[in-house]
């Protein structure tokens, strides 16, 4: 049985080695000439992780066989010991055990099995150690907070943006465009126009900053810090005055990016924290959270993001609402791919979503795809990642051709941006 366990371990080692070697050979070309192997490796670590975990599972199973084989040998040692004691009653116990030990060590099958076990284990370790070395940097340069806490923080950042935007719009009146010449806009002291008076915070960068500063955090703990940073980055001032009996208003928006704020205020981040932040920016804020596929294969859908997750001023109603989805603008008729496997539980039309499809997997996670020009998937159909489930359109409450995609699990809505992959990085 030990021999069988050793054989299985050898086979598993080869399997794990092939998987890992495949990934390494595919990625090592990208690493050549790199000054920072660790950071570059993280860009391709997802596949390496998968292969490593598969190899680990195989090793675990074969390890069980090896343990069983070891137990069998222990039993045999006991039997041989009894036999030897009955034949050599006048030998001391130590001599008996030495004799039994020599017999075991000299047995060819034992030697071969143990040798195969050792060689296989060494081979697997030689393959896994470099990968584990790369993967060990994941906790350092990846967002560590709970996905729900990250979603709450992201949503709060967008809410602060919208609140300031509402202040600007309220001063402008019902229209964003001043036709009477009584609204005077300034951005960072320079004359501007109403259409450019936008408040926008790079929420992805701010989340990375918080992670570099506080590591694994709860939203409520960092909420005051988000508010403080936001107030340092964006400020709206208004001044009402009258000329020739006509009322005027000056709207002054002072805005800066987080990068500019950190550059101007060195006390915000330490050198070590800055290095961690730089590393996270290199690999991407959500590199280790990408558990879903891409809704558009062979396409950089990031360039088509038209409305992010979180609070916004609704493009049709003009009211503020929480947009628990991503909107990705694409040409009409572009195929939409399932981002996760599962069963189609809804394929229907309503006035809000237009043509939409909902997929649910075995973990009760759901993804919703809306505003399709045409639905391809039908209720009860089992789909795989990448299957075409419909085509981009502008049905329902929509202002243009785009995909509205939602992701929910455990009864909570999550920012799809964290999880869906982008085929072109």
């Amino acid at each position: 049985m030990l021999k069988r366990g050793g054989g299985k371990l050898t086979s598993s080692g080869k399997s794990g080695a092939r998987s890992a070697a495949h990934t390494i050979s595919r990625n090592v070309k990208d690493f050549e000439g790199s000054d920072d192997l660790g950071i570059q490796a993280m860009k391709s670590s997802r596949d390496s992780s998968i292969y490593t975990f598969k190899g680990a599972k195989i090793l675990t199973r074969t390890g069980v066989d090896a343990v069983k084989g070891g137990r069998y040998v222990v039993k045999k040692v006991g039997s041989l010991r009894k036999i030897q004691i009955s034949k050599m009653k006048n030998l001391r116990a130590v001599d008996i055990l030495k004799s039994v030990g020599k017999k075991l060590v000299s047995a060819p099958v034992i030697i071969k099995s143990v040798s195969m076990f050792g060689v296989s284990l060494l081979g697997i370790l030689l393959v896994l150690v470099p990968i584990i070395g790369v993967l060990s940097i994941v906790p350092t340069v990846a967002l560590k907070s709970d996905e729900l806490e990250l979603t709450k923080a992201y949503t709060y950042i967008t809410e602060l943006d919208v609140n300031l935007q509402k202040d600007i719009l309220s001063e402008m009146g019902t229209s964003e465009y001043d036709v009477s010449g009584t609204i005077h806009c300034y951005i960072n002291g320079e004359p501007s126009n109403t259409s450019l008076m936008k408040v926008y915070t790079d929420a992805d960068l701010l989340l990375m900053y918080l992670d570099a500063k506080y590591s694994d955090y709860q939203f409520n703990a960092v909420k005051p810090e988000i508010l403080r940073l936001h107030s340092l980055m964006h400020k709206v001032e208004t001044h009402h005055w009258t000329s020739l009996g006509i009322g005027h208003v000056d709207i002054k928006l002072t805005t800066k990016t987080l990068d500019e704020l950190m550059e101007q205020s060195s006390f915000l981040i330490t050198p070590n924290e800055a290095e961690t932040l730089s590393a996270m920016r290199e690999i991407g804020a959500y590199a280790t959270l990408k558990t879903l596929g891409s809704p558009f294969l062979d396409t950089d859908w990031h360039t088509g993001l038209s409305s992010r997750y979180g609070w916004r001023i609704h493009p049709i109603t003009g009211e503020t609402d929480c947009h628990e989805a991503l909107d990705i603008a694409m040409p009409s008729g572009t195929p939409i791919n399932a981002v996760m496997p599962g069963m189609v539980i809804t394929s229907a039309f309503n006035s809000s979503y237009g043509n939409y499809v909902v997929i649910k997997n075995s973990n009760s996670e759901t993804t919703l795809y809306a505003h399709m020009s045409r639905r391809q998937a039908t209720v009860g159909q089992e789909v795989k990642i990448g299957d075409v489930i419909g085509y981009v359109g502008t049905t329902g409450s929509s202002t243009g051709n785009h995909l509205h995609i939602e992701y929910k699990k455990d009864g909570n809505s999550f920012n799809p941006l964290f999880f869906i992959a982008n085929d072109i990085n």
Side-chain angles (χ1 to χ4, degrees):
M1 288 187 69
L2 184 58
K3 181 180 179 181
R4 181 168 64 88
K8 284 194 175 183
L9 187 58
T10 301
S11 175
S12 300
K14 290 178 180 178
S15 175
R18 282 195 298 269
S19 296
H22 171 72
T23 303
I24 291 173
S25 64
R26 187 180 60 192
N27 296 335
V28 73
K29 293 180 180 179
D30 297 332
F31 305 154
E32 292 176 358
S34 171
D35 293 329
D36 192 345
L37 174 61
I39 299 303
Q40 292 298 323
M42 278 305 305
K43 294 180 179 179
S44 306
S45 67
R46 185 174 176 226
D47 289 342
S48 299
S49 302
I50 294 171
Y51 285 122
T52 302
F53 295 151
K54 285 182 178 178
K57 289 181 179 179
I58 295 171
L59 181 60
T60 300
R61 289 197 297 269
T62 53
V64 171
D65 283 332
V67 170
K68 290 180 180 178
R71 289 175 180 169
Y72 180 78
V73 170
V74 170
K75 290 181 180 179
K76 284 299 180 183
V77 169
S79 295
L80 288 172
R81 182 176 180 275
K82 290 179 181 179
I83 294 172
Q84 292 295 336
I85 290 174
S86 65
K87 291 183 177 180
M88 300 176 290
K89 293 180 180 180
N90 56 345
L91 291 180
R92 293 183 298 113
V94 173
D95 293 331
I96 295 172
L97 292 176
K98 285 183 178 180
S99 176
V100 172
K102 288 180 181 179
K103 288 182 178 293
L104 284 173
V105 172
S106 63
V109 66
I110 298 297
I111 293 173
K112 187 175 180 181
S113 297
V114 172
S115 298
M116 292 174 66
F117 185 99
V119 171
S120 301
L121 185 58
L122 179 60
I124 292 173
L125 288 175
L126 288 174
V127 172
L128 294 185
V129 164
I131 298 176
I132 292 171
V134 171
L135 294 179
S136 65
I137 70 173
V138 172
T140 304
V141 297
L143 294 178
K144 293 170 279 298
S145 297
D146 178 78
E147 298 155 356
L148 185 57
E149 298 301 314
L150 291 174
T151 296
K152 290 178 181 178
Y154 193 104
T155 305
Y156 182 59
I157 294 167
T158 63
E159 182 180 7
L160 294 176
D161 281 355
V162 166
N163 287 341
L164 273 185
Q165 193 69 48
K166 284 171 59 182
D167 291 343
I168 294 174
L169 291 178
S170 66
E171 293 293 343
M172 291 180 182
T174 57
S175 172
E176 290 190 27
Y177 300 94
D178 177 36
V179 294
S180 62
T182 60
I183 299 176
H184 312 278
C185 296
Y186 303 87
I187 298 179
N188 294 332
E190 297 295 326
S192 185
N193 59 67
T194 55
S195 64
L196 297 178
M197 299 291 281
K198 305 292 184 183
V199 179
Y200 177 84
T201 302
D202 187 340
D204 307 313
L205 177 57
L206 185 47
L207 289 187
M208 287 188 283
Y209 168 86
L210 293 171
D211 187 273
K213 291 284 291 186
Y214 307 108
S215 189
D216 187 359
Y217 57 82
Q218 299 292 310
F219 164 62
N220 286 334
V222 298
K223 184 177 180 180
E225 177 69 356
I226 295 174
L227 178 60
R228 184 179 76 89
L229 291 170
H230 195 273
S231 64
L232 291 173
M233 286 188 282
H234 312 292
K235 184 178 181 179
V236 175
E237 297 176 289
T238 59
H239 173 63
H240 293 263
W241 52 282
T242 302
S243 176
L244 301 176
I246 300 175
H248 294 255
V249 59
D250 294 340
I251 307 174
K252 300 178 181 180
L253 171 63
T254 304
T255 184
K256 62 185 68 173
T257 66
L258 181 57
D259 281 324
E260 292 171 332
L261 183 62
M262 289 188 291
E263 185 177 344
Q264 297 169 6
S265 308
S266 57
F267 64 88
L268 285 178
I269 192 166
T270 67
N272 286 340
E273 292 166 349
E275 288 182 6
T276 301
L277 176 59
S278 177
M280 282 190 285
R281 295 175 80 162
E282 280 287 327
I283 67 169
Y286 316 114
T288 58
L289 299 180
K290 301 297 185 182
T291 56
L292 303 177
S294 172
F296 300 105
L297 301 183
D298 303 318
T299 302
D300 183 7
W301 54 261
H302 278 151
T303 60
L305 282 176
S306 57
S307 185
R308 62 181 175 173
Y309 186 98
W311 287 90
R312 66 175 183 174
I313 297 175
H314 196 282
I316 296 177
T317 66
E319 300 294 327
T320 58
D321 73 335
C322 190
H323 183 236
E324 296 184 337
L326 282 186
D327 284 352
I328 306 173
M330 285 287 170
S332 177
T334 302
I336 299 170
N337 306 103
V339 300
M340 74 177 194
M343 177 183 289
V344 177
I345 60 172
T346 305
S347 180
F349 176 92
N350 67 30
S351 59
S352 177
Y353 286 137
N355 285 312
Y356 73 107
V357 168
V358 180
I359 298 172
K360 184 176 183 179
N361 67 13
S362 57
N363 295 324
S364 295
E365 300 170 346
T366 61
T367 47
L368 181 148
Y369 315 76
H371 306 305
M372 299 178 176
S373 60
R374 178 165 61 91
R375 289 173 276 122
Q376 180 78 15
T378 57
V379 173
Q381 178 183 346
E382 291 285 348
V383 298
K384 306 183 297 296
I385 291 179
D387 285 352
V388 175
I389 57 173
Y391 301 88
V392 171
T394 183
T395 57
S397 180
S398 170
T399 58
N401 291 301
H402 73 285
L403 167 66
H404 168 106
I405 183 168
E406 300 178 9
Y407 175 52
K408 295 182 179 180
K409 59 180 178 177
D410 301 324
N412 296 303
S413 173
F414 290 83
N415 187 347
L417 182 66
F418 297 167
F419 305 97
I420 59 177
N422 191 14
D423 276 359
I424 301 177
N425 296 309

